[in-house]
Amino acid sequence: MSDERYFSVVEPRPDAAVALRPVTQGRVRGGFWGARQRVNREVTIPLGGERVGGSGAFDNLRLAGRGAGGGHEHRGKVFADSDVYKWLEALAWERGRAGGDDLARSYEEASELVAAAQCDDGYLHTHTQLTGRARYSDLASSHELYCAGHLMQAAVAGRRATGDDTLLRVAARFADHLVKDLPPDALDGHPEVELGLAELYRETGVRSYLDLAARMVATRGRSLIQLKGHHGPGYRQDAVPVREATTVEGHAVRAMYLAAGATDVAAETPDPELLAALERQWRDMVATKTYLTGGLGSNWYGEAFGGHLELAPDTAYCETCAAIGSVQWSWRMLLATGAAEYADLMERTLHNAVLPGVSLGGDRFFYVNALRVRAGADPDDLRSPARGRQDWYGTACCPPNVMRLLSSLDHYLATQDTDGVQLHLYAPGTIRAGSVLLEVETDYPWSGRIEIVVRETPDRAWTLSARIPAWADTAEVSLAGAALSSGVGAAGSSGAGAAGVGDRPVEPGYHRIRRTWRPGDRVVLDLGIRPRLTAAVPRLDVARGQVAVERGPLVYCLEQADHPGAVIDDLCVAGADLRDGAPITGLPAEVVPVLARGRVHVHGEDDGGFPYRSAAPREPEHAGPADLTFVPYYAWANRGPGAMTVWAPMHEE
Amino acid sequence: MSDERYFSVVEPRPDAAVALRPVTQGRVRGGFWGARQRVNREVTIPLGGERVGGSGAFDNLRLAGRGAGGGHEHRGKVFADSDVYKWLEALAWERGRAGGDDLARSYEEASELVAAAQCDDGYLHTHTQLTGRARYSDLASSHELYCAGHLMQAAVAGRRATGDDTLLRVAARFADHLVKDLPPDALDGHPEVELGLAELYRETGVRSYLDLAARMVATRGRSLIQLKGHHGPGYRQDAVPVREATTVEGHAVRAMYLAAGATDVAAETPDPELLAALERQWRDMVATKTYLTGGLGSNWYGEAFGGHLELAPDTAYCETCAAIGSVQWSWRMLLATGAAEYADLMERTLHNAVLPGVSLGGDRFFYVNALRVRAGADPDDLRSPARGRQDWYGTACCPPNVMRLLSSLDHYLATQDTDGVQLHLYAPGTIRAGSVLLEVETDYPWSGRIEIVVRETPDRAWTLSARIPAWADTAEVSLAGAALSSGVGAAGSSGAGAAGVGDRPVEPGYHRIRRTWRPGDRVVLDLGIRPRLTAAVPRLDVARGQVAVERGPLVYCLEQADHPGAVIDDLCVAGADLRDGAPITGLPAEVVPVLARGRVHVHGEDDGGFPYRSAAPREPEHAGPADLTFVPYYAWANRGPGAMTVWAPMHEE
């Protein structure tokens, strides 16, 4: 193991105020996420290079690199540079994760293009350079600093993962320029540079980068950004200072990037008051603005969070990028606080809001991840899920964002502190934390059995903490085959006492085992994964009378492909006796469907007229039973477009 | 009566293929709509002149009138001219309706400004003229023809209502220019000119205006309009030819104006195949894309219809202009076909989707008419109903649209055909149809009793048709006090036989009485208005388990102002025993609230965490009873902003 590089996507400085720190190295080997990473490497990232190139983003850099000034054509969106940077970040993490000379040439060529395009004073934004628009004259829309932030993240990835400093030099020069020349109140309409500056500080130790990020976080929320269109200042997170905000609002991706960057600032400066404000905002987001999938953003208009509990399933936006931003924010909150709730949301979001953004084959994408798509949904917009997955998008933020997340997923598995190691996400592979080496064996999330084998350990007591997800209603932990503890929450019956741990229930949160470990020690965690029904709280009006199916961390859905001839919205769940089904043709063999007894609504009254009638009789009639097949939501629309729903009416017999 | 002018907002030519024609004159005198018209005249229209002026729209015309060419500043939106035209149309109808020298000067001054701004060749669009952009070079966005259409409608109103030809000459010159010089495939991104051209044809008899409108309707739907932004061609109704479309799609206002204009073309050319296509689209709209209020447009993004049954209450857009467009379309379909369903939707839409767009005081407006606004709704956008009503809007299409509709409402009361007179909307006033003069006395919609008195009649048999709304579950008709008929539909018990009419049930649709009428004959219609509960069909997922309260044609809502201390979304309806309440402080004395027994949800499980839980136990707990007060939806937000919902959970005890 000694020849492997150690790095992580977020690396707090030694003096940062964090409860947990990244492990030396997490490594996924195979299993659920390993399969996604293999496709990401073999299909998605190479395709990303082609598509980013086809959009003209490399040409923009080439033209700028030749010193072209104003009056030139810039291809693609004003933020086209950021597609290149996110793709480069994915390449960097991927090279660090699994090596690969095949990726090196692409990385180096693109990095050189970026370096050559940079202005002498460090500035870099091809749209501004080529069109000749004055720098920072339209920050509400120009995405100049947004692109800078992605450059910085890619640069840090390059340095950490491969030791390649090409981009880091570019990013540092740009950051130096910003520190020196950016007007004091300048804020980008799209947050992101805060994240980049904070990580560049972490990598370089140049404090002025952190100070600039902190200044931006402190300046925001005072309506200093120019308003455009109908949007108020909340759209750009400029209505309420971060320190005073009690919720998240506006454009969901912007909100997540800002919150993640602010969390970095809170950790590094340190600033406990700012952290407390972010905790408050995170909790409000989870309680009032998060879909069951972890998806964020109720409104196509402004790609935005709606208001409190505005969570309609069909008109949901749930942009893939917002989910990725949510993972980034929650990870930073987890590091700062050590609270399991952040890891719970990360797990939910990764499986059900990020992963749906890319097809199983890795070559088609979703921008919008609605929880219901009817036959008859409006497919007019390219982003409409009713159109099915698309090869690429004119605004191509999501695909390379998925690439960089999947290639850095290993970094999110576990953390360490002075007392031990904490496992947050379960995947087969290894966790190296200083002198501790753990090996994880599991078929999670299909199975709830997770074996954690201690391969290397110091000769002293330390604590192994394993997350018991909030969704787990039973859990058992045993050590070397003897039950350590079992049950969750109120169930709470303890298992047989086992070596090193007294009798106590296994409860959601972290199950902690402190002992002097020996190589070969084996902790077996059984989360008892089985299908379950979930309902929304009564205030969530749009899900009233309806249930969803979940299994472990996965949210399921009813998909048209499994119910030929049926109208998906006419199917209801007739009872709670769910069971695992056999593999489904057209989906990978490991995907476990969930079967349920159902009923089909008969629309005796539904003659195609005005869809509102006298409230009596209110109960729909039923036809004979229907067999319902639920598939994981992330896997939907891999058998062509069609109707789909996460929520289904519940009618017990 | 002989000195009153006769006119109508839509006047089919003698050879038009229509089932019904406007009456010679309908006239509202007092009552529910009379009060709204008085406020419109005394408050809204004068205020409209100030606000339109303040937006710079008159200045644009002045500057263009001085011959200013390219390179000048144009104030406001590209469609600012249309605000002037809609306001002028309101002034014209209002002068025709109720006279008024006070309005004449405003009308004449603004008309002169418009006339002076016109180019020598007839073209007129101040944004294009002042900025110097090439005519018709950006029709996807420029609204050049959209403005032309509103000019034509205003011009026709001026001629018909007051005999003033100033605008008609301008409009005709513009139309002549379009007939001669508009490129063959040119289509405006925003339909409206079709309506204007058709009515200008009707007023002038110049066939080429109708031919141009027909050409535009035939050309549309072939993706000839340039795409902009993410929107597909459906946004601008350019994806499917009108003749082939099976539903309405895209921007709801654009869709309604196009459909109304296409209906005019179908009636005048005549074109039964086109009319059949429009009937199909209208039925699909009613069955799958219409809110209970009659509101249209589920999606803020693109101000658009969503897909099939995408009708979330909280994120509803329901633009006031879309409702007005719906009334315009339904009226034209009613004239073309004579079918009561069109009048039913008009009534619903007028009361519950148009009227909410203006405050009771006439000086504040809603652009967006959502069916649910929570405490915690996102107020970032000026249009958000969570902000309450606004003085005006940057895009000020809605307020002057309400003005012109209210000032022309008299035209929509009744129609005539060779066999008699049809009453569609009920308001106190008079109906003149040739030699027939009817007087209507009613307190509708507060009371369901409507008295129709024959004041003048020819000495021959003719048929008086009175609409029995689809919502009426009981209805009785009597003549000179003797029951003619009673009951509705299945209830169907006939009343005592009465003069001139045999025993037959009163059913939804038109109740027709044919006889030789005598002056003084009096038909009394009793629609038996009482509060009722309404539910959605099961497929409409977002309203599952919920009910709405209606009373006569009015949709009601729960408003925060009547439930201090309660969270509106926690209230549920506990039974079907609704009753009329006493007048409410802060609302006009005639407004009848509806009282219901309710319950308050207790959120034992709702600790502010993730709002999704195990599906068992699914039933919310209840606290003691709560008294619910429902108020008419159109009257909400007249006591300040606050939470509101049309749908409430139903939990019978």
Side-chain angles (χ1 to χ4, degrees):
Chain A
M1 302 290 293
S2 59
D3 62 338
E4 297 197 43
R5 291 188 203 89
Y6 300 147
F7 55 87
S8 189
V9 67
V10 175
E11 295 189 2
R13 300 280 296 180
D15 57 348
V18 292
L20 308 177
R21 291 175 179 278
V23 291
T24 316
Q25 190 193 57
R27 189 65 196 273
V28 177
R29 298 185 196 275
F32 181 85
W33 286 109
R36 308 315 318 146
Q37 287 187 314
R38 185 178 53 75
V39 170
N40 188 49
R41 178 191 183 88
E42 295 176 1
V43 179
T44 318
I45 291 178
L47 173 151
E50 292 170 24
R51 299 279 155 76
V52 170
S55 74
F58 295 140
D59 290 341
N60 294 333
L61 289 163
R62 271 186 209 102
L63 200 53
R66 289 202 295 270
H72 284 80
E73 186 202 7
H74 174 274
R75 291 180 58 194
K77 304 287 180 186
V78 295
F79 42 81
D81 297 352
S82 68
D83 297 341
V84 175
Y85 302 148
K86 281 191 282 193
W87 175 71
L88 276 167
E89 185 183 338
L91 279 174
W93 296 131
E94 190 60 29
R95 289 174 69 196
R97 195 183 68 80
D101 293 340
D102 51 330
L103 304 180
R105 191 174 317 113
S106 295
Y107 180 83
E108 285 154 14
E109 284 176 3
S111 297
E112 292 302 331
L113 277 184
V114 172
Q118 187 167 37
C119 297
D120 290 342
D121 66 353
Y123 181 86
L124 176 51
H125 185 249
T126 65
H127 183 268
T128 302
Q129 291 167 245
L130 295 179
T131 62
R133 180 178 53 193
R135 294 177 183 178
Y136 314 128
S137 62
D138 184 29
L139 274 174
S141 303
S142 68
H143 290 69
E144 286 160 273
L145 304 182
Y146 167 84
C147 290
H150 279 302
L151 169 63
M152 294 170 196
Q153 289 190 305
V156 168
R159 157 76 82 86
R160 289 186 186 155
T162 72
D164 187 322
D165 269 357
T166 311
L167 286 181
L168 196 81
R169 287 191 298 272
V170 175
R173 283 180 60 208
F174 199 166
D176 292 338
H177 156 75
L178 293 175
V179 166
K180 181 165 158 285
D181 290 334
L182 190 71
D185 287 345
L187 292 170
D188 197 290
H190 198 314
E192 157 66 24
V193 73
E194 300 82 357
L195 274 176
L197 284 165
E199 213 59 36
L200 195 62
Y201 158 68
R202 286 167 166 159
E203 186 61 24
T204 64
V206 179
R207 175 79 190 194
S208 58
Y209 302 161
L210 177 67
D211 293 342
L212 179 55
R215 186 181 89 193
M216 288 172 169
V217 169
T219 306
R220 211 165 190 102
R222 301 172 201 287
S223 298
L224 295 172
I225 303 174
Q226 187 193 355
L227 293 179
K228 296 194 156 194
H230 289 287
H231 299 297
Y235 168 73
R236 296 181 178 84
Q237 294 72 49
D238 198 27
V240 183
V242 177
R243 195 174 296 277
E244 299 167 20
T246 56
T247 188
V248 290
E249 68 172 342
H251 189 280
V253 182
R254 297 174 195 228
M256 290 301 93
Y257 287 180
L258 175 63
T263 306
D264 285 336
V265 167
E268 295 293 344
T269 50
D271 188 337
E273 183 188 276
L274 180 59
L275 183 66
L278 290 159
E279 288 183 88
R280 192 168 64 227
Q281 292 161 35
W282 189 93
R283 291 223 166 76
D284 188 75
M285 176 180 85
V286 169
T288 72
K289 299 184 179 181
T290 303
Y291 283 91
L292 180 64
T293 55
L296 304 177
S298 312
N299 211 326
W300 280 62
Y301 177 72
E303 306 183 309
F305 285 109
H308 184 97
L309 289 180
E310 279 184 10
L311 293 165
D314 43 9
T315 53
Y317 198 70
C318 293
E319 183 178 340
T320 305
C321 282
I324 291 168
S326 170
V327 169
Q328 293 178 324
W329 184 22
S330 290
W331 176 247
R332 286 160 175 80
M333 294 301 287
L334 177 61
L335 294 180
T337 67
E341 58 190 333
Y342 300 109
D344 280 338
L345 185 67
M346 280 180 64
E347 177 179 72
R348 178 175 293 277
T349 305
L350 281 166
H351 286 89
N352 307 294
V354 174
L355 202 50
V358 59
S359 68
L360 296 172
D363 57 347
R364 292 174 68 78
F365 305 93
F366 268 145
Y367 196 116
V368 166
N369 298 284
L371 278 71
R372 183 188 299 276
V373 173
R374 294 183 184 79
D378 180 5
D380 192 47
D381 194 284
L382 263 183
R383 295 168 296 179
S384 169
R387 294 180 81 107
R389 298 170 180 280
Q390 301 293 310
D391 290 341
W392 203 247
Y393 290 93
T395 293
C397 48
C398 297
N401 221 351
V402 172
M403 295 175 209
R404 67 175 183 147
L405 182 64
L406 287 174
S407 65
S408 59
L409 191 78
D410 313 64
H411 311 178
Y412 297 105
L413 299 179
T415 55
Q416 57 184 317
D417 62 8
T418 53
D419 187 48
V421 180
Q422 303 81 36
L423 271 63
H424 307 291
L425 302 178
Y426 297 114
T430 52
I431 307 292
R432 158 74 67 187
S435 55
V436 172
L437 179 65
L438 304 177
E439 187 172 341
V440 179
E441 298 168 8
T442 183
D443 194 27
Y444 194 85
W446 307 120
S447 156
R449 182 179 173 89
I450 299 143
E451 297 194 22
I452 305 161
V453 187
V454 178
R455 291 295 180 203
E456 299 176 22
T457 176
D459 187 22
R460 57 177 170 77
W462 57 275
T463 303
L464 176 64
S465 303
R467 186 175 63 93
I468 311 299
W471 53 257
D473 48 8
T474 68
E476 290 184 8
V477 178
S478 61
L479 179 61
L484 285 181
S485 190
S486 69
V488 158
S493 63
S494 62
V501 184
D503 276 5
R504 61 196 163 79
V506 176
E507 292 182 344
Y510 292 98
H511 188 78
R512 304 183 193 280
I513 309 174
R514 183 174 176 81
R515 72 194 306 260
T516 302
W517 299 89
R518 301 293 169 211
D521 279 355
R522 179 178 297 254
V523 177
V524 179
L525 179 63
D526 192 337
L527 296 176
I529 286 181
R530 55 187 178 76
R532 64 189 189 277
L533 290 178
T534 299
V537 296
R539 276 185 189 173
L540 213 171
D541 55 300
V542 293
R544 283 177 185 149
Q546 301 177 72
V547 291
V549 169
E550 297 186 279
R551 186 180 182 283
L554 296 174
V555 175
Y556 277 62
C557 65
L558 288 170
E559 194 180 1
Q560 190 68 65
D562 299 306
H563 303 90
V567 175
I568 291 289
D569 278 325
D570 291 347
L571 300 177
C572 31
V573 176
D577 53 335
L578 309 175
R579 63 191 189 282
D580 291 347
I584 287 182
T585 305
L587 293 180
E590 66 272 19
V591 172
V592 178
V594 172
L595 309 181
R597 286 187 306 112
R599 291 275 177 179
V600 184
H601 276 152
V602 171
H603 295 278
E605 286 188 285
D606 189 0
D607 55 4
F610 197 55
Y612 311 96
R613 313 295 163 80
S614 169
R618 292 177 301 103
E619 288 302 310
E621 301 164 38
H622 297 115
D627 293 325
L628 305 184
T629 300
F630 289 84
V631 295
Y633 174 71
Y634 81 82
W636 94 276
N638 278 283
R639 293 170 287 170
M644 178 277 300
T645 186
V646 166
W647 294 108
M650 177 75 179
H651 283 287
E652 290 185 281
E653 289 166 336
Chain B
M1 300 294 289
S2 58
D3 62 340
E4 298 198 43
R5 292 188 203 90
Y6 301 148
F7 54 88
S8 189
V9 67
V10 175
E11 295 188 2
R13 301 279 297 179
D15 57 348
V18 291
L20 307 176
R21 292 175 179 277
V23 290
T24 316
Q25 189 194 58
R27 188 66 195 276
V28 177
R29 299 185 195 273
F32 182 85
W33 286 109
R36 308 316 317 148
Q37 288 187 314
R38 186 178 53 75
V39 170
N40 187 50
R41 178 191 183 89
E42 295 176 1
V43 178
T44 317
I45 290 178
L47 175 150
E50 292 171 24
R51 299 280 156 76
V52 170
S55 75
F58 294 140
D59 290 340
N60 294 333
L61 289 163
R62 272 186 208 102
L63 200 53
R66 290 201 293 269
H72 284 79
E73 186 203 6
H74 174 274
R75 291 180 59 195
K77 304 287 180 186
V78 294
F79 41 82
D81 296 353
S82 68
D83 297 340
V84 175
Y85 302 147
K86 281 191 283 193
W87 175 73
L88 276 168
E89 186 182 337
L91 279 175
W93 295 132
E94 190 60 30
R95 289 175 69 195
R97 195 182 68 81
D101 293 339
D102 52 329
L103 303 180
R105 191 176 316 116
S106 296
Y107 181 83
E108 284 154 15
E109 284 176 2
S111 296
E112 291 302 331
L113 278 184
V114 172
Q118 187 167 37
C119 297
D120 290 343
D121 65 353
Y123 181 86
L124 176 51
H125 186 249
T126 66
H127 183 268
T128 302
Q129 291 166 246
L130 295 179
T131 62
R133 180 178 52 193
R135 293 177 182 178
Y136 315 128
S137 62
D138 183 30
L139 274 174
S141 303
S142 68
H143 290 68
E144 286 160 273
L145 303 181
Y146 167 83
C147 291
H150 279 303
L151 169 63
M152 294 170 195
Q153 289 190 305
V156 168
R159 156 75 83 86
R160 287 185 187 157
T162 71
D164 187 321
D165 269 356
T166 310
L167 286 181
L168 196 81
R169 287 191 298 271
V170 176
R173 283 181 59 208
F174 199 166
D176 292 338
H177 156 75
L178 293 176
V179 167
K180 181 164 157 285
D181 290 334
L182 190 72
D185 287 345
L187 293 170
D188 198 290
H190 199 314
E192 157 66 24
V193 72
E194 301 83 356
L195 273 175
L197 284 165
E199 212 60 36
L200 195 62
Y201 158 67
R202 285 167 166 160
E203 187 61 25
T204 64
V206 178
R207 176 80 191 193
S208 57
Y209 302 161
L210 177 67
D211 292 342
L212 178 55
R215 186 181 89 194
M216 289 172 168
V217 170
T219 306
R220 212 164 190 103
R222 301 172 202 287
S223 298
L224 295 173
I225 303 175
Q226 186 194 354
L227 292 179
K228 295 194 155 192
H230 289 287
H231 299 297
Y235 168 73
R236 296 181 178 83
Q237 294 72 48
D238 197 28
V240 183
V242 177
R243 195 174 297 277
E244 298 168 20
T246 56
T247 188
V248 289
E249 69 172 341
H251 189 279
V253 182
R254 297 174 195 229
M256 290 303 93
Y257 287 179
L258 175 63
T263 306
D264 285 336
V265 167
E268 295 292 344
T269 50
D271 187 337
E273 182 188 276
L274 180 59
L275 183 66
L278 290 159
E279 289 183 87
R280 193 168 64 226
Q281 293 161 34
W282 189 94
R283 290 223 166 77
D284 188 75
M285 177 181 84
V286 168
T288 74
K289 300 184 179 180
T290 302
Y291 283 91
L292 180 63
T293 55
L296 303 177
S298 312
N299 210 328
W300 280 63
Y301 177 73
E303 305 184 309
F305 284 109
H308 184 98
L309 289 180
E310 279 185 10
L311 294 165
D314 42 8
T315 53
Y317 197 70
C318 293
E319 183 178 340
T320 305
C321 282
I324 292 168
S326 170
V327 169
Q328 293 178 324
W329 185 21
S330 290
W331 176 247
R332 285 159 175 79
M333 294 300 288
L334 176 60
L335 294 180
T337 68
E341 59 190 332
Y342 299 109
D344 281 338
L345 184 68
M346 280 180 64
E347 177 179 72
R348 177 175 294 276
T349 304
L350 281 166
H351 286 89
N352 307 294
V354 174
L355 202 51
V358 60
S359 67
L360 295 172
D363 58 346
R364 292 175 67 79
F365 305 93
F366 268 145
Y367 195 117
V368 166
N369 298 284
L371 277 70
R372 182 188 300 275
V373 174
R374 293 184 185 79
D378 180 5
D380 193 48
D381 194 285
L382 263 183
R383 295 167 297 179
S384 170
R387 294 180 81 106
R389 298 170 180 279
Q390 301 293 310
D391 290 341
W392 202 247
Y393 290 93
T395 293
C397 47
C398 297
N401 221 351
V402 172
M403 295 175 208
R404 68 175 183 147
L405 182 65
L406 287 174
S407 66
S408 59
L409 191 78
D410 313 64
H411 312 179
Y412 297 105
L413 299 179
T415 54
Q416 58 183 316
D417 62 9
T418 53
D419 187 47
V421 180
Q422 303 81 36
L423 271 61
H424 307 292
L425 303 177
Y426 296 115
T430 52
I431 306 293
R432 158 75 67 189
S435 53
V436 171
L437 178 66
L438 303 177
E439 187 173 340
V440 178
E441 299 167 7
T442 183
D443 194 26
Y444 194 84
W446 307 120
S447 156
R449 182 179 172 90
I450 300 141
E451 298 194 22
I452 305 159
V453 187
V454 178
R455 292 295 180 201
E456 299 176 21
T457 177
D459 187 22
R460 56 177 171 77
W462 56 275
T463 303
L464 175 63
S465 302
R467 186 176 64 93
I468 310 299
W471 54 257
D473 48 9
T474 67
E476 289 184 9
V477 177
S478 60
L479 179 59
L484 283 179
S485 189
S486 69
V488 159
S493 64
S494 60
V501 186
D503 277 4
R504 60 194 162 79
V506 177
E507 292 182 344
Y510 292 98
H511 188 79
R512 305 182 192 279
I513 309 174
R514 182 174 176 80
R515 71 194 306 260
T516 301
W517 298 89
R518 300 293 171 211
D521 280 354
R522 178 179 298 255
V523 176
V524 179
L525 178 64
D526 193 337
L527 296 175
I529 285 182
R530 56 185 177 78
R532 64 189 189 278
L533 290 178
T534 299
V537 297
R539 277 186 188 172
L540 213 170
D541 55 301
V542 294
R544 283 177 183 149
Q546 301 177 73
V547 291
V549 169
E550 297 185 280
R551 185 179 183 283
L554 295 175
V555 175
Y556 276 61
C557 66
L558 288 170
E559 194 179 359
Q560 190 68 64
D562 300 306
H563 303 89
V567 176
I568 290 290
D569 278 326
D570 291 349
L571 301 176
C572 32
V573 176
D577 53 335
L578 309 175
R579 63 190 189 283
D580 290 348
I584 287 182
T585 306
L587 291 182
E590 67 272 20
V591 172
V592 178
V594 172
L595 309 181
R597 286 188 306 112
R599 292 275 178 178
V600 185
H601 276 151
V602 171
H603 294 279
E605 287 188 284
D606 189 0
D607 55 4
F610 197 56
Y612 311 96
R613 313 295 163 79
S614 168
R618 292 177 301 102
E619 287 302 311
E621 301 163 39
H622 296 114
D627 293 325
L628 306 184
T629 301
F630 289 84
V631 295
Y633 174 71
Y634 81 81
W636 94 275
N638 279 282
R639 294 171 287 170
M644 178 278 300
T645 186
V646 167
W647 294 107
M650 177 74 179
H651 283 286
E652 289 183 281
E653 289 166 337

